Amino acid sequence: MKASFSFLLTAFLSVSLPLCAADPDGAGVNTHCYEFTDNTYTPAPAGYELVYLSHYGRHGARTSMKVTQDYEDVISTLKKASRERNLTAQGDSLLNESIWVNEYYLGRNGALTRRGEAEQHELARRIYAQYKPVFAKGSKYVRVQTSTVPRSIVSGECFVQTLTSLQRDLHFTFDTAEKFFAFINNDCSEPNRAAVMVLRDSINALNINDGTWFMKYAFKNPEKAADSIGDADAFQFKVWKLAREGRASGLDVNMFRHLPEEVIAKWTADEIRNIYLRNGNSVEFGEERMKLAQPLISVMLSQACDALATGTVAADLKFGHDYPLVATAGYFGIEGVGDRLSINDLPEKWSDPMYIPFSSNMQMAFYRNKEGNVLVKFVYNGKECTLRDLKAVSGPYYSWNDILEKFLPDGDERTFRLAQWDWKPVGDGAFAGHANLKLFGVNQSISVLRYSAARFKTCLANDNGEAADSTAALALRHGGIAAINASYFNMRTLYPTTFTKDDGKQEGWTTPDELIRVDGAVALSGKKVSIIPCDTVSCYSLTKKYKEVLAAGPVLMLDGQEARQSWPNHSFFTWRHPRTFIGTTSDGWVYLVVIDGRFKEGAGTTIHETAEIARMLGLRDALNLDGGGSSVLWTKEHGTISYPFDNHRYDHFGQRVVPNIIYIK
């Protein structure tokens, strides 16, 4: 803990905030209800059009998280005074309102309220109006991820319901699981939490309120009620909690009026310190806290890279909680809510009620011009923002490359995203690219063909024995415009050693020697590409549904998660080799990928590293194919893109003779 205790001697004996009992919402901090205001926005620079939106939203107004002993203590104490005819008219109102709020919350801990639902519906309407071009043009796919907490899931459902009512041709994918919760709801560490609690307790101990005003306000005979009240400062704290939670329900009650302004200010200031020191980029704890925010930042920036590259995703919507949103604002350095402050600056410099209310939200809006340059604008709770430590290109618009270089956390993900890919068009809606970069501590040479499954037909060509030829030759023979090598085969006979069905005709079975690595298949039907885990028997059953089936493996990714391997310690899995794989995204794109290997320019990858590259490409499902000297990616227009190993030279001329390929036309 970096903060010292010495400053406490002179600080916070009284707290001045722009709050008072007449302003019932202002004291809520993170239970403050969202304020909708009309804002003006700076037009994008000339030539730039909106192409993608990334949104993180906190759930809407909820019921109390802890309807337990604190509230019951307030009610039981006031009921006792009522029986003794010791309550004033104001005290009687406090009792009735406490019962009302408590009964509303019972059995609904942390549930989204009707007010919270309304917040999300209105927020969706405003965001749609503000960013309508991104939903109305081009792709209509929207990816939705939520935390596993019901109030976040329901918030996402309300938001999507309104979007759908405004534009019915939108298509959504939904994900909620522990995997997503881990980054969507990142929180501070336990040591940070404990250190902040010590500081809060120390500060609050210097500002004890004896309850004189409250006792006279609520009780006819304050002395008689004193024994029941006990610690007056602690009792007023419980009333303050009831008051702030009561507003979130939408109940038309202002319980803050039952407390003196200095009590409201004290506990509001305490909650500000709690939220900011635990989750903001503070001088005392920010360095460690920002590290915990990095997974969410990486996902948001990586998804943006994928969306910009493919052009198929209109928006990514995430629904989570207040703590990670504060951390995200701090990580990006959003002026105001994301300021870097010391505990000595709190609460005065972080007291805006709209810093972290219910339904808080942040958008990154992406704009691109015809030259492919991308600008990003940050909007927080409806207002355009500037970033503390980054120079804008124009107004609130920042260079996307500058954003990536500054904010993408160090590591393989950052290296991958910042790699210079030499993308070349291969027909309408298909692109081939190559990059040299350092991943997993070694040089990598990666070639990628990505294309829209809706625009191209993916085919399997199986020409065995004497008919076998190079990938390029087979692709040209069958009229393909791009191709990769396919599955495993016997190099002497040039016949497949895995289950293969080509145009309805079975060409091979998976041999026993291949069972270590073959646990899946790519199945083709029309323009649909499916990657399916299967053994030899279940692969055969696929033939009833698909005319073209190719067994291979291992499966790398399944439903967005790295697949578990049956033989993870086998050398095939742990040694670096050239690799070939095919993958699909949740929004209709197919990727054919070759990782060169056994060169100083490209070492190749293990199976786990291959799966990591599939993940970084944004693939939902991926299947490893034959690698080694067979690996090659070829296009009709640009020739061989990869660097095949069969001639042992890092050039484009080392293609091996193979019996089967996957090609597109």
Side-chain angles (χ1 to χ4, degrees):
M1 183 178 68
K2 296 180 180 179
S4 68
F5 188 76
S6 60
F7 76 92
L8 296 175
L9 296 177
T10 56
F12 314 116
L13 292 178
S14 63
V15 177
S16 175
L17 289 173
L19 307 167
C20 66
D23 181 12
D25 287 325
V29 193
N30 62 332
T31 64
H32 175 55
C33 294
Y34 198 84
E35 299 175 18
F36 290 97
T37 57
D38 294 326
N39 300 293
T40 57
Y41 298 100
T42 306
Y48 282 85
E49 293 185 356
L50 184 66
V51 292
Y52 168 71
L53 183 70
S54 177
H55 167 89
Y56 186 102
R58 184 191 179 195
H59 58 78
R62 54 151 174 81
T63 58
S64 172
M65 295 293 292
K66 296 179 181 178
V67 185
T68 53
Q69 196 61 48
D70 285 348
Y71 298 174
E72 292 171 5
D73 286 349
V74 171
I75 293 170
S76 62
T77 298
L78 295 175
K79 279 185 174 180
K80 181 175 183 293
S82 178
R83 290 193 299 270
E84 296 172 347
R85 300 183 182 278
N86 194 26
L87 283 183
T88 63
Q90 299 95 320
D92 191 59
S93 294
L94 174 59
L95 171 59
N96 291 330
E97 290 164 11
S98 298
I99 293 172
W100 187 21
V101 171
N102 193 51
E103 287 181 345
Y104 181 85
Y105 282 177
L106 282 174
R108 302 180 60 184
N109 277 14
L112 196 72
T113 65
R114 294 292 180 261
R115 181 164 186 165
E117 292 176 13
E119 288 173 349
Q120 292 296 320
H121 288 305
E122 178 61 20
L123 189 60
R125 279 189 285 270
R126 288 173 177 252
I127 286 178
Y128 180 82
Q130 184 179 349
Y131 304 108
K132 185 175 180 179
V134 84
F135 298 107
K137 292 182 180 180
S139 167
K140 306 297 191 299
Y141 282 98
V142 179
R143 297 184 293 206
V144 182
Q145 294 176 325
T146 76
S147 88
T148 56
V149 179
R151 60 181 175 275
S152 294
I153 297 173
V154 178
S155 291
E157 289 175 346
C158 292
F159 194 100
V160 166
Q161 185 183 65
T162 296
L163 281 185
T164 303
S165 71
L166 295 169
Q167 187 168 327
R168 296 188 179 278
D169 59 350
L170 290 172
H171 302 286
F172 297 89
T173 60
F174 292 85
D175 288 294
T176 182
E178 289 303 320
K179 170 185 177 180
F180 306 103
F181 186 81
F183 62 79
I184 285 178
N185 192 44
N186 64 85
D187 200 350
C188 68
S189 66
E190 283 302 322
N192 181 184
R193 190 194 309 267
V196 171
M197 181 60 72
V198 169
L199 288 173
R200 292 169 61 199
D201 289 345
S202 301
I203 295 170
N204 292 333
L206 296 177
N207 186 19
I208 300 295
N209 185 282
D210 63 9
T212 299
W213 183 94
F214 176 78
M215 297 297 287
K216 292 181 178 179
Y217 173 88
F219 303 103
K220 296 176 180 177
N221 186 339
E223 292 76 14
K224 183 178 181 180
D227 289 341
S228 299
I229 289 291
D231 185 338
D233 198 47
F235 189 85
Q236 291 175 107
F237 176 49
K238 296 173 184 178
V239 174
W240 176 80
K241 287 197 289 185
L242 261 171
R244 69 194 292 255
E245 299 287 0
R247 298 299 294 180
S249 66
L251 299 175
D252 188 20
V253 54
N254 172 16
M255 293 178 65
F256 284 113
R257 75 184 191 281
H258 300 302
L259 294 169
E261 291 188 20
E262 59 268 24
V263 168
I264 298 172
K266 172 184 175 175
W267 295 115
T268 300
D270 173 66
E271 186 60 21
I272 288 172
R273 294 187 196 102
N274 175 45
I275 294 171
Y276 181 81
L277 293 175
R278 282 174 55 179
N279 298 285
N281 190 9
S282 68
V283 173
E284 291 80 10
F285 307 106
E287 183 176 350
E288 291 302 314
R289 180 62 181 92
M290 294 302 101
K291 292 178 183 177
L292 300 176
Q294 287 181 355
L296 174 59
I297 303 298
S298 292
V299 168
M300 294 174 71
L301 298 182
S302 297
Q303 286 182 332
C305 287
D306 297 334
L308 293 170
T310 63
T312 62
V313 180
D316 278 292
L317 309 177
K318 292 177 179 58
F319 296 90
H321 305 270
D322 48 352
Y323 293 165
L325 186 54
V326 171
T328 298
Y331 192 99
F332 284 121
I334 293 176
E335 294 284 3
V337 63
D339 285 348
R340 184 167 175 79
L341 304 172
S342 167
I343 189 171
N344 296 290
D345 299 318
L346 303 175
E348 281 78 6
K349 293 185 178 180
W350 208 80
S351 58
D352 189 329
M354 279 297 285
Y355 275 169
I356 192 63
F358 289 125
S359 293
S360 290
N361 58 92
M362 184 196 81
Q363 291 85 44
M364 290 188 291
F366 292 75
Y367 300 77
R368 182 159 49 197
N369 65 8
K370 293 182 179 179
E371 288 72 39
N373 298 317
V374 177
L375 298 179
V376 185
K377 178 173 70 172
F378 287 76
V379 177
Y380 191 87
N381 287 344
K383 296 182 179 180
E384 292 178 343
C385 303
T386 55
L387 305 185
R388 183 180 62 246
D389 299 320
L390 196 64
K391 184 178 180 180
V393 173
S394 175
Y397 293 89
Y398 294 84
S399 162
W400 175 226
N401 287 335
D402 289 348
I403 295 291
L404 285 176
E405 289 190 17
K406 183 170 182 62
F407 297 116
L408 195 61
D410 290 334
D412 291 329
E413 185 87 27
R414 173 184 173 87
T415 302
F416 187 85
R417 296 302 175 188
L418 293 178
Q420 298 299 310
W421 292 83
D422 182 21
W423 292 108
K424 300 173 181 178
V426 184
D428 183 22
F431 302 88
H434 177 84
N436 288 97
L437 61 160
K438 194 164 187 176
L439 283 180
F440 320 118
V442 294
N443 292 329
Q444 298 290 354
S445 173
I446 306 173
S447 302
V448 177
L449 176 76
R450 65 171 187 251
Y451 59 95
S452 169
R455 296 186 182 182
F456 296 88
K457 185 177 181 181
T458 306
C459 307
L460 170 65
N462 199 83
D463 293 357
N464 303 324
E466 294 182 358
D469 210 328
S470 68
T471 297
L474 292 181
L476 288 170
R477 182 185 302 171
H478 291 273
I481 64 169
I484 57 170
N485 63 293
S487 196
Y488 307 108
F489 63 96
N490 185 308
M491 292 183 62
R492 181 178 59 83
T493 65
L494 296 177
Y495 274 79
T497 55
T498 63
F499 182 90
T500 307
K501 183 181 180 183
D502 180 12
D503 196 24
K505 180 182 177 182
Q506 184 179 328
E507 300 283 354
W509 286 94
T510 302
T511 65
D513 291 341
E514 297 290 8
L515 296 180
I516 288 177
R517 56 186 176 181
V518 176
D519 62 359
V522 54
L524 308 174
S525 177
K527 293 184 177 181
K528 184 177 181 181
V529 178
S530 302
I531 292 170
I532 304 169
C534 62
D535 56 22
T536 302
V537 175
S538 56
C539 273
Y540 181 74
S541 68
L542 293 176
T543 61
K544 298 177 181 179
K545 184 177 181 180
Y546 300 95
K547 294 183 66 176
E548 294 189 311
V549 179
L550 176 75
V555 175
L556 302 171
M557 299 288 293
L558 197 61
D559 294 328
Q561 300 189 51
E562 182 176 349
R564 179 177 293 181
Q565 305 302 336
S566 300
W567 301 84
N569 298 321
H570 190 280
S571 61
F572 175 80
F573 294 81
T574 60
W575 291 6
R576 287 189 171 121
H577 297 289
R579 307 283 184 178
T580 300
F581 67 89
I582 182 172
T584 58
T585 68
S586 59
D587 46 16
W589 282 69
V590 181
Y591 280 64
L592 308 180
V593 183
V594 166
I595 303 167
D596 301 312
R598 302 171 186 164
F599 297 112
K600 66 178 181 180
E601 295 87 353
T605 52
T606 67
I607 287 297
H608 169 68
E609 290 167 349
T610 308
E612 272 291 286
I613 290 174
R615 180 193 63 78
M616 287 188 280
L617 285 168
L619 302 184
R620 183 179 181 87
D621 301 309
L623 178 70
N624 190 64
L625 302 172
D626 188 16
S630 301
S631 289
V632 63
L633 173 63
W634 170 89
T635 68
K636 183 177 181 179
E637 185 170 353
H638 305 290
T640 302
I641 303 296
S642 63
Y643 294 79
F645 178 75
D646 213 42
N647 65 352
H648 292 223
R649 292 194 298 270
Y650 189 71
D651 58 28
H652 299 298
F653 305 105
Q655 290 195 51
R656 172 181 288 175
V657 173
V658 297
N660 48 42
I661 62 169
I662 295 173
Y663 67 98
I664 67 170
K665 64 179 182 180

